[in-house]
Amino acid sequence: MKPLPLLLSKLCLPALALPLAFTASAAEPAKRPNILLIVADDLGYTDIGPFGAEIATPNLDKLASTGVKMTSFYASPFCSPTRAMLMSGSDNHLVGFGDMAELITPEQKGKPGYEGNLNERVVPMAQVLKDAGYRTAMAGKWHLGVAEQFSPAARGFEQSYAMVMGGASHWGDQTGIVAMDPAKPPKAIYRENGKAIDIPRDGFYSSEAFTNKLLEYIKNGEGSGKPFFGYLAFTAPHWPLHAPDADIAKYEGRYKEGYDKLRKERIERMKKLGLIAADTPVYEGHPNWPKWDSLTPAQKESEARRMTVYSAMVENMDRQIGRVLAYLKEKGELDNTFIFFMSDNGADGNSVYDVGRTREWIHKDMDNSTANIGKPGSFIEYGPGWAQVGMSPFKLYKSFMYEGGISVPAIAWGPGIRGGSVKREFAHVMDVAPTIFELAGAKHPGTEYNGREVLPLRGKSMLPYLQGKAKQVRGKDDAVGWELGGRKALRKGDWKIVYANQPWGTGDWELYNIARDRTESRNLAASQPAKLKEMLAEWKRYVAETGTLEIDNLANRPGYSNGAKYYEDLEVEVNMKPRNPAPTTN
C-alpha cells in the first residue's frame, strides 16, 4: 500500500483569494493550455453559489463571475453514462453504458454498447491528449470499469488514483455502497495506476485526498515541459453523506425550516442572478412525497441534519478546488489553464436501499441516529425533498429525463473565454471532448485507431460559442436523445419529448416547448400532434443510430423504485439509538 501524502493538504495554499484575470479581451496564450476538468457527483443545479445556493462556494463563484456560466448544459440522468460520454465525445449506448453496469438486465447483457465498461470502440479523451503530447492524470471517481484492464491506467491516464465503483464512504473505512449479503459489508475498490490499493484508514477524506493526489501528479510532471490534462472527479456530494465536523458546524441550524423555505430562497436568488424569469413556474415536488409540515419533529431534525452535512460537503469540495487554483496561480500556470466544471447528473432523490440487501446491511451495521449523521459509521442519503430543492425550478431529479434529471450546472473558464457572461443555449456533455481537443490542438483519430475501427465524435466543439464567436453550439435541426432504464427523451431545437413510467410520468410520450416552458409544466402532446409525430420520427432515427434497446416495462424493474420507502427508512433511523463511535478518525 502506498501512503497518501496527506502532508500536501497542510502545505498547499488556502482557498483562492486572488483575482482571476480573464476578460473578453484576454490574449491567446503562446503555448498550449493546461486542461483542468472538474466533475462533482450528484450535485444539484442550484447547489452552488453561481446558480442560487446559500452554500459558500467562493472559488466556483470566482470562476463563474470571470468565466462563462452555462445555464442549459445537459448530462445523462446517471453517473457512469455521463462519464462515458464525457470521456468519449459519443453517446452512452455506443460506448458501453447503454445502462448502468450495476443494473444491466438479461435482455441487455452481451449486446453491443451494453458492456458495462468504456468499450474498445472508444479512443478516450486522455488517450487523445496523451498522443498529442499532454501529460495526463486523474484522481477521484472513475465508474467506467472495475477491472484493471478497464481502469484509467488502461485508458490513457499516465497517473491515476481512482475509486472505480459508483460510490463509497468518504472516510478511510473504504466501505462500498451496495450489499448483496448483509453479513458481508461491501468494500470499495481503489486503484492507483491500475493496481488495487487500500486507502489510509486514518486521516482520509475523499475530497481532500483526491485533490492531494492530483496536485502530487501535477507537481511530478512540472519539469517535463508538457502541458497537463488533469481530471478531478469528486465523489462529493454523492451519498453516503459525510463531512468533517468543522464544515458541518458552519451550517448547524440553517435548514430547520425545511424544503419549501429553502426552495423559495433559492428561487429568489436565481431571479436576482438573472437565471430564471420572474414568472417561471416552479415544480415543487411529486405528490408521492410528503410536505415538510407533515413530518414529525424527529424526522425534521434528521432531514435538516442531512442537508447540513450535504452543504458541508459542497463547501469542502469548493475549498479543494481553491487549493488547485491557488497552486496554479503560484506557479504562474493559472492564466494558461482551461477549466471546465460540471455535475454528472441532477441531485439524487432516489435510494440504494432497495438494491440487493442493502437496507438490511445498513440497518444492521450503520449508526444513522441523528447525532451521528455525517460521521464515520453512518450511511445517509439525501432524499427526495432536498433533491427537488436542489433541482429548482425543474421537474424531478436524477434518474429522470425531465429537466431535473439532466440539467446540470456548468462553468467554463480560461484563455480566450468571454469573462463574466451567461450562456443560455443548449450544450451537451458529449461536446466537452471536442472542445478540449480544439483547445489543445489535438486531433481525434476519426474512425480508425491503431488498426482497429473506432467511433467518431458525436459531440461538437463549444469553443467558438464560449469565445463569443458563435451564437450556439448546435443548429435548430440537431436532435439529441437520452435513454436509461426505459426512460427516454429527445431534444430538437426548442422542443423536447419525454417518456416516464407512472406514477412519475403519464406512461406515454409527453411534449414540451423548452424555450417557453423549461419546467415542463404544460404537456402539449395532445394539442400539437404534428410536432409530436415529427419528434417521434427523430427518436426512431436516434434509436437506430445508437443501438438503443427499447425493452417493455424496463422502468418498473425491481430495485429501480426511486426510493419509495425513503420516509419509512427515515422513521426507522430517527428511532435508532446511538452506538459506539466508529474507530475511523473524523
Side-chain angles (χ1 to χ4, degrees):
M1 180 182 76
K2 296 182 180 180
L4 188 71
L6 295 171
L7 184 60
L8 279 172
S9 66
K10 309 297 184 184
L11 298 177
C12 289
L13 295 177
L16 186 67
L18 299 169
L20 303 178
F22 279 106
T23 65
S25 62
E28 293 292 338
K31 57 182 181 177
R32 290 188 296 171
N34 304 308
I35 309 293
L36 177 60
L37 176 59
I38 307 171
V39 177
D41 198 356
D42 288 2
L43 180 78
Y45 191 83
T46 67
D47 283 334
I48 57 174
F51 284 76
E54 72 295 335
I55 303 170
T57 55
N59 296 290
L60 291 173
D61 292 352
K62 290 184 177 75
L63 289 175
S65 65
T66 54
V68 167
K69 184 162 52 177
M70 304 181 73
T71 62
S72 296
F73 186 81
Y74 290 80
S76 154
F78 274 113
C79 321
S80 54
T82 288
R83 292 159 200 272
M85 291 191 282
L86 179 67
M87 288 292 116
S88 69
S90 190
D91 188 270
N92 58 289
H93 296 88
L94 292 167
V95 304
F97 285 87
D99 208 333
M100 298 269 286
E102 300 87 343
L103 298 175
I104 292 286
T105 67
E107 299 98 320
Q108 297 167 330
K109 191 172 184 179
K111 301 294 194 302
Y114 290 80
E115 293 86 353
N117 57 263
L118 198 61
N119 64 30
E120 288 302 313
R121 301 178 70 193
V122 173
V123 186
M125 184 194 297
Q127 187 65 56
V128 174
L129 293 171
K130 179 182 175 182
D131 292 347
Y134 273 71
R135 48 195 173 97
T136 57
M138 75 85 65
K141 177 173 170 175
W142 180 238
H143 206 190
L144 294 176
V146 173
E148 183 175 349
Q149 66 265 35
F150 307 128
S151 71
R155 310 306 271 147
F157 285 101
E158 296 168 311
Q159 293 183 289
S160 58
Y161 186 89
M163 194 281 292
V164 298
M165 306 171 83
S169 168
H170 297 275
W171 304 118
D173 51 71
Q174 204 167 332
T175 305
I177 58 172
V178 175
M180 304 312 293
D181 181 347
K184 297 178 181 178
K187 182 178 180 180
I189 298 174
Y190 284 74
R191 295 187 181 277
E192 185 162 21
N193 298 327
K195 303 301 181 182
I197 60 168
D198 287 332
I199 60 175
R201 185 163 183 85
D202 294 330
F204 181 98
Y205 181 68
S206 67
S207 296
E208 182 178 342
F210 297 147
T211 305
N212 289 345
K213 268 298 179 181
L214 189 69
L215 283 168
E216 177 190 333
Y217 294 154
I218 291 172
K219 292 176 182 183
N220 285 348
E222 284 175 348
S224 68
K226 295 180 179 181
F228 72 79
F229 166 51
Y231 176 34
L232 182 54
F234 291 105
T235 48
H238 191 291
W239 43 263
L241 305 182
H242 292 142
D245 288 339
D247 291 315
I248 294 173
K250 298 178 184 179
Y251 294 92
E252 289 289 358
R254 178 65 179 82
Y255 300 107
K256 62 184 180 181
E257 294 180 88
Y259 317 134
D260 300 329
K261 177 74 159 47
L262 185 62
R263 180 185 298 110
K264 289 175 183 176
E265 290 177 6
R266 291 193 178 183
I267 290 295
E268 288 307 309
R269 211 172 285 115
M270 293 178 81
K271 291 175 181 178
K272 289 178 182 177
L273 290 169
L275 299 176
I276 59 173
D279 60 351
T280 299
V282 176
Y283 184 78
E284 296 187 354
H286 195 277
N288 268 25
W289 306 125
K291 295 294 186 182
W292 182 260
D293 288 345
S294 71
L295 302 182
T296 67
Q299 289 174 326
K300 289 179 180 178
E301 185 181 3
S302 178
E303 284 284 86
R305 173 76 179 186
R306 292 165 193 242
M307 186 63 200
T308 298
V309 176
Y310 181 92
S311 296
M313 296 175 76
V314 175
E315 181 173 342
N316 187 289
M317 177 187 69
D318 180 86
R319 186 163 65 252
Q320 307 310 322
I321 293 170
R323 291 174 52 211
V324 179
L325 301 181
Y327 180 78
L328 295 176
K329 184 75 175 179
E330 177 194 10
K331 290 296 182 178
E333 289 291 333
L334 182 60
D335 288 353
N336 191 43
T337 301
F338 172 76
I339 301 167
F340 194 83
F341 171 87
M342 60 173 284
S343 178
D344 63 349
N345 45 243
D348 193 3
N350 306 284
S351 177
V352 75
Y353 281 41
D354 293 320
V355 181
R357 298 178 67 185
T358 301
R359 175 178 286 104
E360 295 172 69
W361 161 59
I362 291 173
H363 288 172
K364 179 177 73 73
D365 286 358
M366 297 296 173
D367 179 358
N368 286 348
S369 60
T370 300
N372 199 54
I373 289 174
K375 297 178 181 293
S378 67
F379 190 115
I380 290 293
E381 297 178 314
Y382 188 41
W386 296 122
Q388 191 58 73
V389 173
M391 295 315 299
S392 295
F394 305 134
K395 187 174 183 178
L396 289 171
Y397 37 71
K398 177 179 176 177
S399 84
F400 293 98
M401 303 299 179
Y402 296 111
E403 294 290 284
I406 58 178
S407 298
V408 297
I411 300 168
W413 188 94
I417 304 300
R418 295 180 63 88
S421 59
V422 177
K423 295 288 188 180
R424 304 179 189 277
E425 286 71 32
F426 176 88
H428 191 276
V429 66
M430 287 188 298
D431 302 330
V432 175
T435 304
I436 287 175
F437 296 158
E438 184 175 358
L439 267 165
K443 184 174 176 59
H444 186 275
T447 58
E448 185 178 338
Y449 182 76
N450 287 349
R452 75 176 193 271
E453 184 179 346
V454 296
L455 293 165
L457 296 170
R458 284 177 69 92
K460 298 187 177 183
S461 174
M462 301 182 289
L463 190 59
Y465 174 65
L466 295 174
Q467 293 176 335
K469 298 174 183 177
K471 292 183 178 179
Q472 63 228 356
V473 179
R474 296 171 176 271
K476 61 183 178 63
D477 292 327
D478 284 359
V480 177
W482 293 262
E483 187 277 336
L484 268 172
R487 295 177 184 145
K488 316 167 194 179
L490 182 132
R491 173 85 181 256
K492 180 182 177 183
D494 292 342
W495 292 89
K496 178 183 174 187
I497 51 173
V498 187
Y499 172 88
N501 57 312
Q502 295 179 337
W504 315 104
T506 63
D508 204 347
W509 284 103
E510 302 164 28
L511 174 69
Y512 299 97
N513 185 311
I514 296 300
R516 298 176 182 174
D517 178 27
R518 195 167 173 202
T519 58
E520 296 162 308
S521 60
R522 299 184 296 276
N523 178 10
L524 303 176
S527 61
Q528 298 274 1
K531 177 58 70 173
L532 178 62
K533 183 179 179 181
E534 173 194 334
M535 297 292 284
L536 288 174
E538 293 285 2
W539 171 256
K540 290 180 181 178
R541 274 191 284 274
Y542 168 76
V543 168
E545 286 179 8
T546 59
T548 297
L549 300 177
E550 294 190 275
I551 299 171
D552 290 342
N553 209 37
L554 183 60
N556 292 315
R557 61 187 162 179
Y560 199 57
S561 64
N562 300 96
K565 296 182 179 179
Y566 175 82
Y567 286 94
E568 293 178 27
D569 291 318
L570 175 64
E571 186 60 25
V572 170
E573 289 164 356
V574 299
N575 290 313
M576 279 186 173
K577 294 182 179 180
R579 303 174 187 175
N580 293 328
T584 305
T585 59
N586 182 348

